[in-house]
Amino acid sequence: MENSKCDRQFRWISSVNGDPELLSSLNDQMTWFYGQQDGREMYQSMLDTQEEIPTDSSSVRHLMPQYICDLKPETILEIGCASGRLYRQLRQYGYQGNYCGVEVADYVIQQNRHKHPEVTWQCGTAYNIPFPDSSFEVCFSLYVLEHLVYPERGLSEMMRVIKPNGRLVLVFPDFVESGRFSSQLLGLSPVMTAAEKLRQGR
């Protein structure tokens, strides 16, 4: 989050040089997987179990919401809010401002509205955020950017809804530093590499 980390050059090969038809097909599949209950069920179950795990003080899962609270923004927007775990964490850390959450799965949004009617939950995507320009002081996402087929488009849309002098706060795996996709451990089996899963259609 410091300036020394802001000089990286991102090269989104998939969204810049990829075959448009293949990318569109991939995006359709990703939209179904994350947006429909029958596609998302196992993934959502994995997300929900994370709330039961204590957050270590050195984890980004603690540092990110603490950083946002320390900014004391009046309005914040979370892209990829899932079932509202970060919203509850922000409140635990003392955040008193207005929170809005956006998620692609409508059934998850309906559950959030039932559980937390005091805040705004909207169905939408990072490519089409359902709020006007310059609506929020902070827009943030935790482990969402790596799931986007068109990350540049998502980043531009997030910037659109931020007020002048606002903040965009992102956490995503550092593929450049690690040299690997850490998310390859997710899926139907944690003992296979991503390449093996692809070959087996998993």
Side-chain angles (χ1 to χ4, degrees):
M1 290 182 233
E2 296 298 323
N3 288 337
S4 62
K5 296 292 184 185
C6 295
D7 60 354
R8 293 199 176 172
Q9 299 260 337
F10 295 103
R11 295 173 182 85
W12 302 116
I13 295 170
S14 66
S15 65
V16 176
N17 300 325
D19 180 301
E21 289 185 24
L22 288 175
L23 289 175
S24 178
S25 175
L26 175 60
N27 190 57
D28 289 345
Q29 293 174 60
M30 298 285 276
T31 300
W32 172 82
F33 178 81
Y34 291 113
Q36 299 303 312
Q37 190 165 1
D38 52 344
R40 184 185 177 102
E41 193 168 2
M42 286 179 63
Y43 175 71
Q44 186 61 48
S45 177
M46 181 271 298
L47 292 178
D48 291 342
T49 61
Q50 292 180 349
E51 195 158 2
E52 302 164 10
I53 302 169
T55 304
D56 184 89
S57 62
S58 64
S59 167
V60 295
R61 295 179 187 278
H62 161 74
L63 296 173
M64 180 189 205
Q66 188 61 63
Y67 174 78
I68 292 169
C69 286
D70 290 346
L71 293 173
K72 296 181 173 48
E74 290 183 18
T75 54
I76 60 175
L77 171 67
E78 180 180 6
I79 303 299
C81 62
S83 55
R85 181 181 63 81
L86 278 178
Y87 164 70
R88 290 184 288 279
Q89 195 171 347
L90 285 161
R91 291 299 192 214
Q92 280 183 329
Y93 290 6
Y95 179 68
Q96 297 296 316
N98 293 317
Y99 168 98
C100 295
V102 169
E103 179 57 60
V104 68
D106 184 62
Y107 83 96
V108 173
I109 288 297
Q110 296 305 324
Q111 291 171 356
N112 290 349
R113 287 175 179 163
H114 179 74
K115 190 169 187 175
H116 298 290
E118 71 277 10
V119 295
T120 301
W121 305 98
Q122 289 289 339
C123 191
T125 71
Y127 311 131
N128 187 16
I129 298 172
F131 292 100
D133 295 358
S134 304
S135 294
F136 301 94
E137 292 175 36
V138 172
C139 177
F140 71 99
S141 70
L142 178 68
Y143 296 126
V144 170
L145 196 63
E146 71 273 19
H147 297 266
L148 301 182
V149 176
Y150 306 104
E152 266 189 318
R153 191 183 303 170
L155 287 168
S156 296
E157 182 69 350
M158 291 180 210
M159 292 298 293
R160 179 186 67 76
V161 298
I162 298 173
K163 292 181 178 182
N165 301 313
R167 303 280 179 99
L168 176 60
V169 182
L170 305 170
V171 171
F172 53 91
D174 190 343
F175 301 130
V176 175
E177 182 69 25
S178 68
R180 65 185 177 85
F181 287 89
S182 56
S183 60
Q184 71 182 6
L185 297 179
L186 301 178
L188 301 181
S189 167
V191 296
M192 301 171 68
T193 67
E196 289 168 329
K197 288 178 185 180
L198 285 171
R199 280 194 289 274
Q200 294 187 15
R202 302 181 73 180

